[in-house]
Amino acid sequence: MTTTTYTNFRQNLKGFMREVNDDADVITVTSNDGNNIVVLSEKDYASIMETVHLLSSDANSKHLEESKEQLESGKTISTSLEDL
């Protein structure tokens, strides 16, 4: 995670955008009044929002937890693409 000032961020916006997109970096931009912001790629934002959506339903959250427990306990079935 990179931290920079508002002024530096504004002066180097193109480079910071490249850093966020190419390196999956997250940038915290600080301001004098303490109202900082976080900059992340649209891809990372979409991934976070998808996770929030999946976990917002109690039923879906329970299903995901059960699946995780099955995976961790080895209760899985393997198959190849050819078998499908």
Side-chain angles (χ1 to χ4, degrees):
M1 179 181 266
T2 301
T3 301
T4 189
T5 63
Y6 168 78
T7 301
N8 188 48
F9 181 76
R10 185 172 40 86
Q11 292 172 347
N12 299 288
L13 179 60
K14 186 175 182 178
F16 283 119
M17 288 179 70
R18 190 175 311 115
E19 188 177 326
V20 164
N21 283 302
D22 294 348
D23 302 335
D25 196 9
V26 176
I27 299 174
T28 300
V29 182
T30 61
S31 65
N32 290 334
D33 62 5
N35 291 319
N36 302 338
I37 63 168
V38 174
V39 180
L40 64 153
S41 71
E42 183 178 19
K43 179 181 174 184
D44 289 343
Y45 173 77
S47 177
I48 290 168
M49 296 315 298
E50 180 180 6
T51 301
V52 167
H53 173 73
L54 290 173
L55 296 176
S56 65
S57 159
D58 288 339
N60 201 37
S61 185
K62 182 180 176 187
H63 179 73
L64 289 170
E65 186 61 35
E66 288 171 358
S67 296
K68 181 181 167 189
E69 290 171 6
Q70 288 173 347
L71 178 64
E72 290 172 350
S73 67
K75 296 178 184 175
T76 60
I77 300 171
S78 297
T79 188
S80 67
L81 289 175
E82 293 81 27
D83 293 338
L84 297 176

